[in-house]
C-alpha cells in the first residue's frame, strides 16, 4: 500500500449557476519518500488536489488514504488533529504569523503535539539549522527577506516530522536566485530527511527538480503528455 | 489536552500592539463606555445609599396626618414633643435627656455671599436633642449653632448649587429675610441630612413667625416600641398625628425613586449595548485583516475553537484593560461627586457593586464583541481564506 492513495476523487463547486469540476475521477498513489511535482495551467485543479491531500478541502466524491487513514471520513475537528500530526504545509506567500518570531513561527505546529518543552526546543533548533536560519531565530517576519521567510515556512512545515510535506507554488513569489535556493532546500528535505514531498508549481523548470512530474489537464492526470496508466498514477 | 492545543497567550497579547492606533481607539471607546456605566451605576448606588442611610428603625417620625408623605407640608402643634414625652413609654433616654427632637423643616431660597442667585435649600430647625436622635450626625468643623447661626451639611453647597467655600465656617448666608452665620459643618454617614442647613429651632420659628413644628423625631429603645408611638397618634385623634418609623419613611421614598433607578439600569444596558456594537465594528475590522493568518493556523491543525478563544482573549484583554482604567478614573473623578435631587443631594458612589457591574460589562463587551466577527471569519473555507489578501 502506498503512503498516499487518491482513489477516483472528484471535486465540484458551484460558481453561480455553473458547476465547476476541477478534478474529475482522479486517482493517484504516492510512495513514502517520493518527491512529486504537480503542474498544470491555472485552474487545472493542481492546488485543489494538493489541498484535498492536505486535508484542508473536502472531495465531492472518492477516497483519500494517507498513512492508513481515510481522511475523507474524518470530522472537521479530527481532520484538524490529523493535519497537525501528518501534514507540513509550505505556502506560496509564506504565511508566517507577523507577531511571532521565526523561532516561534516554527514552534507553532509543535504546540499541537504532545511533547515536552525541551523536545520542542530541540526540534525547532534542528529545523532552523536545516534551513540555515539559526542566526535569524529571534527576528520577526518583517525583518526578513522573502527568501528567508520562505525558509522559515519550510522549517515550520518539516519541524513536526510530518508524513507528507505539501508545497503550493513555494517559489511563486520569489526571484530566480531565491527560487533556486528554495528548490535546493526542498530537494534536501526529500533527500536528506527522507520526507515525502508533493509540490504544486506552474514553473516547468521547478517541476523538473522533483523525482516525478505529473500534469493536470482538464481535471485529468497526465504523464509525458498522455493519460497515465502507471501503477503510481491512475485515472478512473 | 485542550490546554496544550490553544494558541500561545503571547500571540493574543502581541496582536493588540499590531495595529496600535486601532487598538488605542478601541481602548478609548471601551474606557468611555465603562466609565459611563460606572457613572450611571454610581448614581443609582449613591441615591440608594443616601435614602437607605437616612432611615433608622429605632427612630419614629411624628408628623401631620394631612401632609401625606411630605414633611415640608406638615404642621403639628408645638406641644407635640412634650405630649409624646408624657404619654409614650419606651423613649430612649441618656444622661437624663429623652431622645425627642422637635423639628421645623422647610425648603426655602438661600442666598450666599458670593452668588446673587438664591438656590433652593433645605432648612431644618433643631434643638440640641437632634444629634441624639440622628446619631450619625457628626460635627466635623466648627461648633453647634447659637442664635443667628447655622450648621451646614457637607453636601448643602451641592443642593444650593454653590461652591463648598461659599458655605465655609464663618461665611454668611441669607434666607427668609435674615442673615445667618455658618458656625460649623456636619456629616451624617452619607444620609440625606448632609444636604441640609440646620438652624436653632427657636430662632427659626421666630424668623418664620411660626410656633408650630413640622415633625417630632423620637428615638425609641427598640424598633418594636415604635408601635407605642403609633398607638398614641391613633388615640389622640384630635391632634391629627401620624407615626412612621424613619426607616419605613425612607423605604417608601426609595419606592418613589424606583422608576429613576430602573431608568438608570436601562441606561446601563443601552450604554453597554452601544459599546458592544462599537466593539463588534472594531473586531470585524481586525478579523477581516487577518483572514489568511487565521486560515494558516487552521491549515496547521489549530481547531476553530482555539482560534476563536484567542480572538475572544484579545478583545477581552483590551476590554479588561479599559475597565481597569475606567475604574481608576471613576474612583478619581466620579466617586464622591455630588448630585442634586429634590430631596437634597447625594454623592455618586463607585463601590464594589459599581466596579463589579463595570467589569462584567467590560467582559461582555470583549466576549460578545469578538464572537460574531471571529465566527464569521471561521466560516470561510480554509482553501479560500488561505489565499485572501
Amino acid at each position: 500500500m502506498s503512503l498516499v492513495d487518491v482513489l477516483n476523487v472528484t471535486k465540484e463547486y458551484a460558481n453561480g449557476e455553473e458547476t465547476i469540476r476541477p478534478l474529475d475521477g482522479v486517482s493517484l498513489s504516492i510512495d513514502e519518500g517520493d518527491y512529486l511535482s504537480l503542474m498544470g495551467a491555472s485552474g487545472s485543479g493542481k492546488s485543489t488536489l494538493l489541498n484535498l491531500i492536505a486535508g484542508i478541502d473536502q472531495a465531492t466524491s472518492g477516497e483519500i488514504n494517507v498513512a492508513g487513514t481515510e481522511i475523507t471520513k474524518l470530522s472537521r475537528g479530527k481532520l484538524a488533529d490529523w493535519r497537525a500530526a501528518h501534514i507540513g504545509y509550505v505556502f506560496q506567500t509564506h504565511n508566517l504569523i507577523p507577531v511571532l518570531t521565526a523561532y516561534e513561527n516554527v514552534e507553532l505546529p509543535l504546540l499541537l503535539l504532545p511533547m515536552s518543552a525541551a523536545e520542542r526546543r530541540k526540534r525547532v533548533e534542528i529545523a532552523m539549522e536545516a534551513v540555515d536560519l539559526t542566526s535569524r531565530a529571534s527576528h520577526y517576519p518583517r525583518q526578513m527577506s522573502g527568501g528567508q521567510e520562505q525558509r522559515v515556512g519550510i522549517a515550520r512545515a518539516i519541524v513536526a516530522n510530518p508524513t507528507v510535506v505539501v508545497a503550493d507554488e513555494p517559489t511563486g513569489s520569489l526571484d530566480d536566485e531565491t527560487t533556486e535556493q528554495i528548490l535546493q532546500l526542498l530537494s534536501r528535505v526529500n533527500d536528506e530527511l527522507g520526507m515525502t514531498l508533493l509540490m504544486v508549481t506552474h514553473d516547468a523548470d521547478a517541476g523538473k527538480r522533483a523525482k516525478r512530474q505529473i500534469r493536470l489537464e482538464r481535471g485529468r492526470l497526465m504523464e509525458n503528455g498522455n493519460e497515465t496508466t502507471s501503477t503510481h498514477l491512475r485515472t478512473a | 489536552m485542550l490546554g496544550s492545543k490553544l494558541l500561545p497567550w503571547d500571540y493574543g497579547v502581541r496582536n493588540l500592539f499590531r495595529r496600535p492606533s486601532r487598538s488605542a481607539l478601541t481602548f478609548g471607546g471601551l474606557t468611555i463606555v465603562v466609565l459611563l456605566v460606572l457613572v450611571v451605576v454610581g448614581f443609582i448606588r449613591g441615591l440608594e445609599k443616601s435614602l437607605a442611610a437616612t432611615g433608622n428603625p429605632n427612630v419614629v417620625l411624628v408628623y401631620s396626618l394631612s401632609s401625606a408623605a411630605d414633611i415640608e407640608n406638615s404642621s403639628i402643634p408645638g406641644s407635640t414633643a412634650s405630649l409624646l414625652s408624657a404619654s409614650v413609654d419606651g423613649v430612649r433616654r441618656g444622661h437624663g435627656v429623652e431622645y425627642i427632637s422637635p423639628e421645623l423643616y422647610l425648603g426655602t431660597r438661600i442666598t450666599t455671599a458670593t452668588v446673587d442667585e438664591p438656590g433652593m435649600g433645605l432648612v431644618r430647625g433643631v434643638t440640641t436633642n437632634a444629634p441624639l436622635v440622628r446619631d450619625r450626625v457628626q460635627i466635623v468643623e466648627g461648633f453647634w449653632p447659637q442664635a443667628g447661626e447655622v450648621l451646614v451639611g457637607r453636601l448643602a453647597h451641592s443642593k444650593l448649587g454653590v461652591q463648598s467655600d461659599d458655605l465655609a465656617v464663618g461665611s454668611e448666608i441669607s434666607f427668609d429675610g435674615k442673615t445667618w452665620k455658618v458656625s460649623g459643618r456636619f456629616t451624617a454617614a452619607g444620609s440625606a441630612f448632609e444636604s441640609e442647613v440646620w438652624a436653632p429651632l427657636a430662632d427659626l420659628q421666630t424668623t418664620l413667625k411660626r410656633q408650630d413644628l413640622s415633625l417630632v423625631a423620637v428615638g425609641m429603645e427598640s424598633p418594636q416600641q415604635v408601635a407605642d408611638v403609633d398607638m398614641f397618634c391613633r388615640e389622640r385623634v384630635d391632634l391629627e398625628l401620624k407615626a412612621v418609623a424613619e426607616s419605613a419613611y425612607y423605604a417608601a421614598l426609595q419606592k418613589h425613586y424606583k422608576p429613576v433607578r430602573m431608568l438608570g439600569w436601562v441606561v446601563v444596558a443601552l450604554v453597554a449595548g452601544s459599546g458592544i456594537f462599537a466593539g463588534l465594528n472594531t473586531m470585524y475590522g481586525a478579523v477581516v485583516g487577518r483572514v489568511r493568518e487565521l486560515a494558516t493556523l487552521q491549515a496547521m491543525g489549530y481547531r476553530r475553537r482555539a482560534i476563536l478563544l484567542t480572538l475572544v482573549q484579545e478583545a477581552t484583554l483590551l476590554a479588561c484593560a479599559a475597565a481597569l482604567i475606567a475604574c481608576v478614573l471613576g474612583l478619581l473623578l466620579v466617586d464622591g461627586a455630588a448630585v442634586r435631587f429634590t430631596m437634597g443631594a447625594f454623592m455618586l458612589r463607585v463601590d464594589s457593586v459599581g466596579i463589579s457591574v463595570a467589569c462584567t460589562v467590560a467582559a461582555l463587551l470583549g466576549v460578545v464583541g469578538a464572537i460574531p466577527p471571529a465566527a464569521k471569519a471561521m466560516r470561510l473555507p480554509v482553501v479560500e481564506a488561505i489565499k485572501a489578501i
Side-chain angles (χ1 to χ4, degrees), chain A:
Chain A
M1 193 175 179
S2 305
L3 184 69
V4 179
D5 271 313
V6 178
L7 300 171
N8 200 23
V9 164
T10 295
K11 175 67 182 176
E12 290 177 351
Y13 59 86
N15 184 13
E17 289 184 0
E18 192 184 4
T19 300
I20 309 286
R21 187 176 293 166
L23 296 177
D24 186 10
V26 167
S27 293
L28 168 70
S29 293
I30 303 172
D31 285 334
E32 193 170 355
D34 258 359
Y35 179 5
L36 191 145
S37 67
L38 203 52
M39 291 176 286
S42 291
S44 60
K46 53 190 189 299
S47 289
T48 304
L49 182 56
L50 177 133
N51 287 334
L52 289 173
I53 292 170
I56 61 171
D57 201 358
Q58 293 280 330
T60 308
S61 64
E63 200 177 292
I64 299 172
N65 286 287
V66 181
T69 303
E70 191 181 336
I71 63 169
T72 38
K73 287 188 176 170
L74 294 177
S75 66
R76 188 162 51 206
K78 296 267 186 206
L79 200 54
D81 294 343
W82 175 85
R83 281 198 302 271
H86 294 281
I87 296 292
Y89 205 126
V90 182
F91 302 91
Q92 178 181 352
T93 47
H94 330 312
N95 290 23
L96 299 183
I97 308 298
V99 295
L100 301 180
T101 62
Y103 183 98
E104 289 164 338
N105 264 288
V106 175
E107 189 185 27
L108 212 47
L110 297 182
L111 297 174
L112 291 162
L113 304 174
M115 69 177 64
S116 66
E119 172 69 10
R120 232 175 18 239
R121 190 164 53 246
K122 191 174 142 196
R123 286 216 200 183
V124 174
E125 282 167 3
I126 291 171
M128 293 295 285
E129 207 174 303
V131 299
D132 197 21
L133 274 179
T134 307
S135 63
R136 293 276 178 171
S138 61
H139 286 61
Y140 287 92
R142 65 175 181 277
Q143 297 169 315
M144 292 187 281
S145 67
Q148 287 172 334
E149 279 193 71
Q150 191 58 298
R151 277 148 69 192
V152 174
I154 292 170
R156 184 176 64 182
I158 64 173
V159 71
N161 197 21
T163 307
V164 184
V165 175
V166 295
D168 190 1
E169 305 273 13
T171 59
S173 61
L174 303 174
D175 59 42
D176 291 347
E177 191 182 341
T178 315
T179 294
E180 179 55 31
Q181 289 172 6
I182 295 300
L183 290 174
Q184 280 181 14
L185 183 56
L186 289 173
S187 294
R188 277 178 51 213
V189 165
N190 177 245
D191 291 338
E192 295 174 21
L193 303 178
M195 288 188 181
T196 307
L197 196 59
L198 173 61
M199 175 176 70
V200 160
T201 181
H202 65 273
D203 177 355
D205 290 338
K208 283 174 190 166
R209 306 294 280 269
K211 290 174 182 167
R212 294 174 51 206
Q213 297 101 45
I214 309 294
R215 285 193 71 81
L216 254 168
E217 288 177 14
R218 279 179 249 114
R220 300 272 168 169
L221 285 169
M222 312 291 283
E223 196 165 34
N224 300 323
N226 301 308
E227 201 164 320
T228 183
T229 55
S230 77
T231 52
H232 287 314
L233 193 61
R234 303 183 294 267
T235 53

Side-chain angles (χ1 to χ4, degrees), chain B residues 49-66:
Chain B
K49 185 164 191 259
S50 169
L51 295 174
T54 309
N56 179 344
N58 282 350
V59 172
V60 58
L61 306 178
V62 177
Y63 55 98
S64 168
L65 190 62
S66 59

Side-chain angles (χ1 to χ4, degrees), chain B residues 276-277 279-280 283 312 315-316 361-373:
Chain B
I276 285 172
F277 278 109
L280 273 174
M283 282 306 290
V312 169
T316 307
V361 167
L364 272 176
L365 291 177
V367 175
V368 179
I371 287 178

Side-chain angles (χ1 to χ4, degrees), chain B residues 35 38-39 325-338 348 350:
Chain B
L35 192 57
L38 268 179
V39 169
I325 296 299
C327 286
V328 170
L329 288 176
L331 285 168
L332 292 175
L333 306 175
V334 178
D335 191 40
L348 298 181
V350 178

Side-chain angles (χ1 to χ4, degrees), chain B residues 141-175:
Chain B
E141 193 183 354
F143 303 96
W144 184 256
Q146 304 302 314
E149 293 179 338
V150 289
L151 192 66
V152 294
R154 70 166 165 167
L155 294 179
H157 66 281
S158 294
K159 176 63 181 162
L160 294 176
V162 298
Q163 296 297 311
S164 176
D165 287 348
D166 294 330
L167 294 183
V169 175
S171 60
E172 291 186 338
I173 61 174
S174 304
F175 58 86

Side-chain angles (χ1 to χ4, degrees), chain B residues 173-344:
Chain B
I173 61 174
S174 304
F175 58 86
D176 291 301
K178 182 175 176 175
T179 299
W180 306 74
K181 186 178 176 185
V182 176
S183 68
R185 283 178 191 256
F186 70 91
T187 61
S191 66
F193 299 122
E194 290 188 344
S195 56
E196 295 177 357
V197 174
W198 283 13
L201 176 62
D203 210 7
L204 188 63
Q205 283 176 319
T206 306
T207 304
L208 298 172
K209 299 181 179 66
R210 284 175 64 171
Q211 291 181 325
D212 62 332
L213 299 170
S214 298
L215 74 151
V216 175
V218 186
M220 307 302 290
E221 292 286 353
S222 70
Q224 288 74 29
Q225 287 165 320
V226 170
D228 294 342
V229 184
D230 187 44
M231 183 62 74
F232 167 79
C233 295
R234 287 174 192 277
E235 285 174 356
R236 291 298 304 268
V237 180
D238 57 314
L239 296 174
E240 295 187 345
L241 296 175
K242 182 181 182 180
V244 175
E246 192 181 43
S247 52
Y249 178 80
Y250 284 101
L253 280 182
Q254 276 226 16
K255 276 188 190 167
H256 178 69
Y257 284 102
K258 192 178 176 186
V260 176
R261 286 184 289 142
M262 292 304 293
L263 190 65
W265 287 116
V266 170
V267 171
V268 168
L270 288 174
V271 169
S274 62
I276 285 172
F277 278 109
L280 273 174
N281 191 35
T282 308
M283 282 306 290
Y284 268 116
V287 170
V288 161
R290 286 163 59 190
V291 164
R292 190 170 72 184
E293 179 181 316
L294 302 179
T296 302
L297 292 169
Q298 287 189 73
M300 227 179 273
Y302 282 95
R303 289 192 177 203
R304 292 177 173 198
R305 185 178 50 198
I307 297 168
L308 192 78
L309 272 175
T310 293
L311 293 171
V312 169
Q313 174 209 332
E314 287 173 28
T316 307
L317 269 176
L318 201 60
C320 288
L324 190 69
I325 296 299
C327 286
V328 170
L329 288 176
L331 285 168
L332 292 175
L333 306 175
V334 178
D335 191 40
V339 173
R340 272 194 285 179
F341 77 127
T342 50
M343 276 201 49

